[in-house]
Structure formats: C-alpha cells, structure tokens
Amino acid sequence: MTSATILSIIIIYFGLLILISNLVSKKDYSNDTFFKANKNSKWYLVAFGMIGTALSGVTFISVPGEVGNPDLQFKYFQFILGNAIGFIIIAKVLLPLYYRMNLTSIYGYIEQRLGTISYKTSAIIFLISRTIGSAFRLYLVVIVLQRYVFDDFNVPFAATVLISLGLIFAYTYRGGLKTIIITDTLQTFFLVSSVFLTIIFVCSSLDFGALEAFEAVKNSQYSKIFFYEDYLKGNYVIKQILGGIFVTIAMVGLDQDLMQKNLSCKNIGEAQKNMFTFTGIFVLINIFFLSVGALLYMYAEKNGIAIPMVDGVARTDYLFPEIAFRHLSIVPAVIFLLGLTAATFATTDSALTALTTSFCVDFLGMDKAENTNNMKTVRTRHLVHLTFSFLMFLVILVFNSLNDKSVVTMIFTVAGYTYGPLLGLYGFGLFVKSKTVNDKLVPFICVTSPLITYFINSNSKDWFGGYVFSFELIIVNGLITLLGLFLISKPATGQTRF
C-alpha cells in the first residue's frame, strides 16, 4: 500500500471523527457536557468505548511484537489476569466511593479525606503520569506513520506529531467527554474488527483454518503463558499478576481518564455493569492480540521476513506494520491502519479530555454550578486543552530522542514510579481511618518515594540476590509512600466519613 493511499485513509478517518464531533456538540459545548457528558452516558457505549482507551496502539503493536522474545512469549497474559482482578476491585471498592461522593474529579476524595495540599498533589501526579503515558502511546503510532507514510513526503517527525495532536484537538475541544463516548465507540469497533480480520488474513496466508491456527499457536515456540521457574526474573508469574492488579488499580481506578467515563453513567449500578462487561471483553481481546503476535512470527519465518532494524537495532514494534503494509494485500493493510489509528487516538483523545478536566476542576474550580455555561470559563477550558496538546507534543519529542526499548515495557516501568504515590495516598485514606496527615508535608513524601523506589530498583540485583523487579515495582513505591504518610500522620479530629 502506497504512502499516498495511507494518507488518504487517515484524512477520511479524521474527517469522519470531526463530523461526528460537530454533530454531537453542535448545540451543547458547556463545561458540564465536556466534563461529565451531562451524566447521561449509556453504560454499554462506555464499556465498549473503554476497550479502545485501555488498549491503545501499545497493545496493537508492542504486545504482538514482544511475543517473539523467548523470555516473554505470552507472558503478558499473566499481567492481563492481574488486570482483570484489579478491574473487579475498582468496580466493588472505588466506584461506589466516587458515586457516593458525587465527584467530577476523583481527586476530590483526597481533599475531603487528607486536605487541600494532598488533593492538589494527587491531581499533579495524575497530570504528570497521564501526560507521559499518553505521549508514549501516541509516540508509538507516530513513529509508524513517520516510517511508512511521512518520510516519503519528507515531512519531519515533529510536524507529524503536531499534525496528529492538532487533529485530536479539532474533534475534542468542544464536546469533550460527550463527543469521546461516541467517537471511541466507533474507534473501538475499528480496533476489534481489525484484530479479528488480521487473524483471518494471516491464517489464510498460512493456509490455516480456525482449528489449525489454534493448534499451531498452542504448539508454537511463542505461546508459553506461565513463567514460574525463576522468581528472580521479571517474568515470574506472581510478580506479573500482582503487578497487573496494582497497576490497574492505579492507572485505571486512581486515574481521572478512565474513571471520568465511568462517572458519566447515570448511577453506580450502570457503572459497575459497564466495568464488569469491559473486563470480560478486555481479557478476550488481549488473548487475540497475543495470538496475532504468534501468527505474525510464524508468517515472518515462513516468508523470510526479518524484524525491521532502526539505527542498527531490531525493533519488534515494527513487525506488525512491516507485514501489514509491505507483505499483505491492500485490504488487510487498510484494516491494520484503521485498527492502529483507532487504538491510539481513542487513548489520546480521552487522555487530553481527562487532563483538561482535572486541571480545570482541580485547579480552576470549573465544576461549580455558576461555571457550567459561563462563556469565559469555556474559553479558558479551550486554552487549557490546547496547552496540554502542546505539552504532549514536547514530551513526545523528548521521548523520541531517548527511547531505545519496547514501548510497552517503558510505559509500565514509568507508571511504577509516577502512579505509586497515588496508591499510597488512597491506601492511607481508605484503610487508616483513625489518622490524617500533616498536609503540608505530603508533596515531600510523594516526591521522595519514587526516588527511593528508583534507588532500590537500581540496586536490587546486588541487594536481593539477583532479584529483578518487574511491574510489581509499583507496589514497592506505594508502600514507601504509605510508610512516609504514617511518619507524618496525626490523629484525625472527628469521624472520618470516607
């Protein structure tokens, strides 16, 4: 498929999203619409749309690419099992709390429980964490578009990033969450269709029927799921499951992005129904993504396709697009492009909306009734939205100059450091009812904890007999934060309500 064809498809795709945005937000672009979708979202649309937000281009490219590593294979599914447990905990513990308090920003809980400075600290942690995480995810797709499309037109990488973020801004700045509920449903449809159709096309190329494909994947050198031989390694099953649980609680349950969609449902019953449905689909889709990875490596081996090299280094992130764009026919190439685009932009548009919401509510107080339809605050919201778009642009440029490993690993490594303090703050608030904290010292604890965690991680092999931390590093960070909060705690005055 030619670069011009790919570019034409992308233009049509975003034209459709912008059209939907204009139809949805034509008459209502108030702050209430942007922040909460008027509290009237259908749970089944939220559940389906959240798939695209949760998966992203990382799942679409990096997860299948890592399957070829003998030390990884289907290891990621151990992490997914932990994710599923984490989603259930969120549905049963955190969602009822947020609905009971009628929150727009979930960090309002910290304000009522621990104090204003703790509240602002939590919001800042989210803004930093989500900006970095979303930039990583968008970066993965932009480097693919750059390699297979924009390099042919001599468009610089920075311009590709700017164009991508500009398109996202164009269809999200007015309707916000209300628009995203609809557009993410459409994008998730493209994503889910893409993974199933890719399997069909690759199986056809390998002369596999459904049962033959299942047996081939099961008996291949790529399909080992549970790694329990050496607890010192990062792929050990207990580490992966525990990491999956706590990363999910932090990156979903304590993250304004995905929780904002849940809080747009009419009531807690519909929000929980949404979360349980989402969990089942999420697990199933990830099984198929891992299977795509095994089938792609079989296809590459059969056809003598090498993993693409970038600056002399093999990049597994490029295997899927390499096969889709240069070795399959135009139909599967188009399907791959739609799925990849949908996966990543469904994540980024949601993140930009959540970042804007958090800043406007947590720092500018725009959730107050008098600001709902105030045109001055709406214009301010537009400016905040634009600012976060530009900030993400800068972060992607920095990451492009530094990154040298698989993006999926990098994202969850960074999450272990940035989201850990949120785990500690919410853990203290929820389970230490008899105490509160010295509010002014909380920022110091939340900055110190990741630094101590990094120091421990850097020396773990020497200190712990060769032990290597994986996704469970976030637990260590959370516990260090919790310990620090104990050290600055004091008896709570009056009864703790939440």
Side-chain angles (χ1 to χ4, degrees), residues 485-498:
L485 294 175
F486 266 115
L487 294 177
I488 62 168
S489 66
K490 57 186 180 181
T493 56
Q495 185 178 0
T496 301
R497 293 172 54 204
F498 304 107

Side-chain angles (χ1 to χ4, degrees), residues 414-451:
V414 172
Y417 293 110
T418 59
Y419 280 91
L422 281 179
L423 271 179
L425 284 166
Y426 276 82
F428 186 93
L430 290 169
F431 301 114
V432 188
K433 299 291 189 180
S434 62
K435 292 180 178 291
T436 185
V437 295
N438 186 332
D439 198 29
K440 294 180 180 179
L441 295 178
V442 168
F444 173 76
I445 298 298
C446 291
V447 170
T448 304
S449 174
L451 296 176

Side-chain angles (χ1 to χ4, degrees), residues 75-213:
K75 173 219 70 169
Y76 188 65
F77 191 67
Q78 299 174 135
F79 183 72
I80 295 301
L81 291 176
N83 292 160
I85 298 171
F87 289 136
I88 293 170
I89 293 172
I90 291 168
K92 301 298 288 185
V93 177
L94 292 176
L95 276 180
L97 173 68
Y98 298 152
Y99 267 86
R100 190 165 64 248
M101 297 180 68
N102 193 29
L103 298 175
T104 298
S105 167
I106 63 173
Y107 308 113
Y109 165 75
I110 295 295
E111 180 179 30
Q112 295 192 39
R113 178 64 179 87
L114 301 179
T116 301
I117 296 177
S118 299
Y119 162 52
K120 303 294 185 184
T121 302
S122 300
I124 290 172
I125 292 171
F126 162 72
L127 294 175
I128 294 172
S129 302
R130 179 49 70 178
T131 299
I132 294 174
S134 297
F136 283 171
R137 289 170 170 87
L138 183 59
Y139 165 77
L140 178 59
V141 167
V142 171
I143 60 175
V144 171
L145 294 177
Q146 187 68 35
R147 179 183 177 93
Y148 294 98
V149 181
F150 291 100
D151 277 346
D152 292 344
F153 295 102
N154 296 316
V155 176
F157 177 80
T160 305
V161 178
L162 202 58
I163 291 168
S164 301
L165 286 167
L167 289 169
I168 294 170
F169 177 84
Y171 74 85
T172 58
Y173 82 99
R174 293 183 67 185
L177 188 60
K178 187 174 182 178
T179 297
I180 285 172
I181 296 297
I182 305 300
T183 57
D184 279 7
T185 300
L186 177 65
Q187 295 194 98
T188 300
F189 171 77
F190 285 131
L191 185 158
V192 173
S193 299
S194 180
V195 68
F196 285 114
L197 291 173
T198 297
I199 290 175
I200 291 172
F201 285 120
V202 174
C203 286
S204 176
S205 300
L206 293 170
D207 297 320
F208 287 158
L211 291 177
E212 291 172 313

